[in-house]
Amino acid sequence: MATQTRQLAELLRGEQAEVLVVPTNTPYRPSWAGKVVGLRAICRLMPYLVALWRAAASSDLFHVMANSGWSWHLFAAPAIWVGWLRGVPVVVNYRGGEAASFLDRSQRLVRWSMRRAKSLAVPSRFLEKVFGQFGMRAEVVPNIIDLSRFFEAVEHAPNPTPHLIVTRNLEPIYDVETALRAFALLRQSHTGARLTIAGSGPQEQRLLQLSQQLDVAASVHFAGRLDRDQIAGLYREADIMLNSSVADNMPNSILESLASGVPVVSTNVGGIPFLVEDGKTALLVAPRDPQALAHAAELLLDDPVLRHRLSSAGVEEAQRYTWERVRPVLTAVYRKALAEGSGPGSASRTEFR
């Protein structure tokens, strides 16, 4: 979400729009407050609310990047209410892969806030379907991929040391453990294979220890968090991208892999089957199944025709997510939101049933 936010701000500025990004993760003041549960939430929320209130004075529209859980309650919902109180139309751009379980728990609170928004935008038909099940109409505004940065590399020659990559944060939802176990299985038939894991998170030490237990530590590189130029370079060096998430929406990592011509092996969870087609633009397997993930990766390594077909189809698919394709869709959403006033007493454009 941070990547899409930064990229969208740059693209809108390129269209001569004035864009102010209000961050949700400003440093704690005082710094020790970040160590106190409860207090840290207040110390983040209060300056965020002040920044939103001030931003509303010079804004024509709020574009709110939203996610599930406490992120919704602490950041998205307050932005909706501040926009409504200050008479600024609000477009909610919901992006969480765990939307169904979140709405099942919190739909009353979400609907209460969404009645103050003008539009609900989601990046995939998967989330459009999820919100529809809870009586909220969403408009699909796809993620954007910068093809000037992520582009198809020169096709690799047969590689005796195939390079696999994982480009997800090291958090339980992305289940990097399964990818690591799959890599260990793959090494039994492709002894020269190596793996780069680009991301950071709370499971880093656990995954480091697991790589040692699986006896693959010498072939696994934990690269940490990379900037966008570094991550683009990593894709151009890769033979296969592994994605083992257990819940997902429209991951940038898959879009970036497609644009870079890197074949994708992924779990078939959430919005991923809406993004790629099994056997055509990626190979999809069940979640939490290292053997299935390893087998699919082995198929790609052993079949250059299949690998080339998926690579070419992925590059073609990525064209659907360029700024030139997404800009008119987003523009239409903005125009609808701006078409009528906002604030107490005005009607909402978000449709409920």
Side-chain angles (χ1 to χ4, degrees):
M1 189 159 67
T3 299
Q4 284 292 313
T5 301
R6 180 178 60 248
Q7 184 172 251
L8 179 59
E10 292 173 355
L11 290 167
L12 289 172
R13 288 175 182 135
E15 301 287 340
Q16 308 307 311
E18 294 183 23
V19 181
L20 173 63
V21 177
V22 179
T24 62
N25 58 347
T26 53
Y28 291 108
R29 294 181 181 176
S31 59
W32 55 262
K35 301 177 182 178
V36 182
V37 177
L39 180 60
R40 62 190 179 194
I42 296 173
C43 289
R44 275 268 166 86
L45 179 60
M46 296 312 296
Y48 174 65
L49 289 174
V50 171
L52 284 173
W53 192 263
R54 290 175 175 170
S58 59
S59 298
D60 297 305
L61 181 140
F62 273 9
H63 182 132
V64 179
M65 294 293 202
N67 208 331
S68 305
W70 282 108
S71 175
W72 172 271
H73 299 302
L74 289 176
F75 303 122
I80 295 170
W81 283 90
V82 168
W84 181 70
L85 289 170
R86 296 279 273 167
V88 179
V90 176
V91 171
V92 176
N93 192 183
Y94 187 94
R95 318 183 71 82
E98 296 180 291
S101 58
F102 173 60
L103 291 172
D104 194 48
R105 297 190 308 270
S106 305
Q107 61 172 302
R108 291 181 64 184
L109 287 173
V110 172
R111 290 165 67 91
W112 187 44
S113 293
M114 282 302 303
R115 293 183 190 279
R116 278 78 190 170
K118 292 298 177 184
S119 182
L120 171 62
V122 295
S124 66
R125 289 186 294 111
F126 164 68
L127 282 181
E128 179 188 31
K129 180 178 178 181
V130 169
F131 274 94
Q133 292 170 346
F134 289 88
M136 286 177 271
R137 190 179 74 83
E139 300 178 72
V140 177
V141 179
N143 279 351
I144 304 161
I145 184 73
D146 182 357
L147 296 185
S148 69
R149 193 177 303 276
F150 298 96
F151 53 86
E152 185 178 9
V154 176
E155 188 170 349
H156 296 283
N159 191 350
T161 59
H163 186 193
L164 288 77
I165 61 172
V166 172
T167 53
R168 304 307 298 263
N169 283 333
L170 311 184
E171 300 173 6
I173 191 174
Y174 301 125
D175 191 23
V176 178
E177 177 180 335
T178 288
L180 192 53
R181 291 186 182 277
F183 175 71
L185 292 171
L186 182 68
R187 287 265 304 174
Q188 295 174 11
S189 58
H190 292 76
T191 56
R194 55 197 175 97
L195 174 68
T196 298
I197 299 176
S200 61
Q203 292 195 317
E204 182 173 357
Q205 287 303 313
R206 176 182 172 182
L207 292 167
L208 280 166
Q209 293 172 1
L210 179 61
S211 70
Q212 294 168 353
Q213 294 168 10
L214 295 171
D215 197 26
V216 295
S219 303
V220 178
H221 174 49
F222 286 83
R225 185 181 296 275
L226 303 181
D227 65 31
R228 55 185 177 176
D229 290 328
Q230 291 173 320
I231 201 73
L234 179 63
Y235 284 117
R236 289 193 288 275
E237 298 171 358
D239 295 291
I240 294 175
M241 193 277 270
L242 301 178
N243 177 66
S244 49
S245 52
V246 294
D248 228 320
N249 171 34
M250 186 186 228
N252 279 339
S253 56
I254 290 183
L255 282 178
E256 292 165 355
S257 297
L258 297 179
S260 303
V262 179
V264 173
V265 179
S266 175
T267 48
N268 58 357
V269 299
I272 292 174
F274 291 78
L275 175 61
V276 289
E277 183 179 344
D278 184 30
K280 181 178 180 181
T281 49
L283 295 184
L284 301 182
V285 300
R288 301 192 191 280
D289 190 340
Q291 289 186 330
L293 199 67
H295 177 64
E298 188 173 18
L299 282 177
L300 282 174
L301 291 176
D302 294 344
D303 188 341
V305 174
L306 174 63
R307 192 166 64 247
H308 177 75
R309 190 173 77 238
L310 261 63
S311 174
S312 299
V315 170
E316 183 177 349
E317 180 68 16
Q319 302 296 321
R320 297 176 54 193
Y321 303 96
T322 62
W323 177 234
E324 289 71 22
R325 294 284 191 92
V326 177
R327 176 176 52 193
V329 181
L330 181 62
T331 299
V333 171
Y334 282 173
R335 284 175 174 165
K336 284 177 63 177
L338 291 165
E340 61 180 66
S342 184
S346 68
S348 172
R349 281 190 171 271
T350 307
E351 296 184 14
F352 295 85
R353 65 173 186 271

